[in-house]
């Protein structure tokens, strides 16, 4: 889905006038954010670059995900970076690696439990380590799901062409 389509759906639910008033911008600007922009002056489309496009442009310019991570935090979540395996690793070894990560996470949960039981607390350094391990595990989980969706574990799937093998 394109950014202007996402904004159109979101803004239609609360109304462009309310969004414009809350953001202290004109109604017409909010309406333009919901239309497809064009860089070609001869093009009839009247949309303009919207805030989502600008965040993507900031990411492209800086190569730094921190603004997106900050936005995710503001929305009550966080950004998960899928840890993409090399094509040669997408086989049983990848599944074994994922199993070992789950075992590591299980051990981390045990450490957390022991810490709470014995010390009755988890300090900042321990919490930071738990967060790091949790995000790493989620990254591997996301990459595993993407590999499944791409058919990398389906022997009938031809990875080179991105589709099914002939005769399937």
């Amino acid at each position: 889905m394109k950014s202007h389509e996402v904004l159109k759906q979101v803004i239609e639910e609360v109304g462009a006038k309310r969004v414009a008033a809350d953001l202290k911008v004109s109604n017409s600007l909010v309406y333009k954010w919901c239309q497809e922009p064009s860089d070609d002056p001869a093009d009839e489309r009247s949309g303009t670059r919207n805030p989502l496009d600008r965040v993507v442009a900031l990411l492209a310019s800086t190569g730094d995900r921190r603004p997106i991570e900050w936005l995710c935090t503001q929305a009550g979540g966080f950004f998960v970076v899928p840890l993409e395996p090399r094509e040669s690793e997408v086989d049983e070894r990848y599944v074994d690696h994922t199993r070992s990560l789950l075992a590591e996470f299980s051990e981390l949960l045990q450490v957390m439990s022991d810490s709470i039981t014995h010390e009755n607390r988890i300090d900042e350094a321990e919490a930071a380590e738990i967060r790091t391990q949790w995000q790493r595990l989620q990254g591997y989980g996301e990459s595993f799901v993407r590999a499944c969706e791409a058919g990398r574990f389906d022997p009938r799937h031809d990875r080179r062409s991105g589709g099914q093998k002939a005769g399937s």
Side-chain angles (χ1 to χ4, degrees):
M1 184 175 284
K2 295 181 179 179
S3 65
H4 71 277
E5 294 168 328
V6 172
L7 286 177
K8 183 175 182 179
Q9 287 179 355
V10 170
I11 291 170
E12 279 179 348
E13 292 181 19
V14 296
K17 289 180 183 180
R18 177 177 164 193
V19 171
D22 288 347
L23 299 180
K24 298 181 180 18
V25 297
S26 70
N27 292 346
S28 63
L29 179 60
V30 172
Y31 285 116
K32 286 181 180 286
W33 288 344
C34 299
Q35 300 169 1
E36 187 168 9
S38 174
D39 293 329
D40 182 3
D43 195 334
E44 296 293 319
R45 292 179 288 190
S46 61
T48 189
R49 287 181 59 197
N50 61 56
L52 298 178
D53 293 332
R54 291 176 185 269
V55 171
V56 170
L58 178 63
L59 174 64
S61 174
T62 65
D64 194 329
R65 291 189 308 256
R66 284 180 291 183
I68 293 171
E69 291 168 349
W70 183 85
L71 285 172
C72 291
T73 302
Q74 295 303 303
F78 58 92
F79 185 70
V80 175
V81 179
L83 305 172
E84 295 296 334
R86 292 183 295 274
E87 189 69 27
S88 63
E89 292 178 340
V90 182
D91 57 16
E92 293 162 7
R93 291 172 299 194
Y94 185 65
V95 176
D96 289 340
H97 184 64
T98 303
R99 280 189 199 126
S100 71
L101 282 172
L102 288 172
E104 287 177 31
F105 186 67
S106 178
E107 290 173 21
L108 177 63
L109 290 174
Q110 186 63 49
V111 168
M112 292 166 44
S113 177
D114 291 346
S115 181
I116 290 173
T117 303
H118 293 96
E119 299 172 8
N120 204 26
R121 70 184 191 94
I122 295 176
D123 65 28
E124 275 187 59
E126 291 168 324
E129 179 60 24
I130 292 166
R131 169 61 69 193
T132 299
Q133 293 297 328
W134 175 240
Q135 289 177 328
R136 181 173 168 231
L137 180 65
Q138 286 184 312
Y140 278 106
E142 179 63 22
S143 65
F144 181 76
V145 170
R146 287 183 181 196
C148 292
E149 292 170 340
R152 291 182 179 165
F153 300 110
D154 185 347
R156 299 169 299 170
H157 191 269
D158 182 358
R159 291 184 218 150
R160 291 176 306 249
S161 68
Q164 298 291 322
K165 286 185 179 179
S168 294

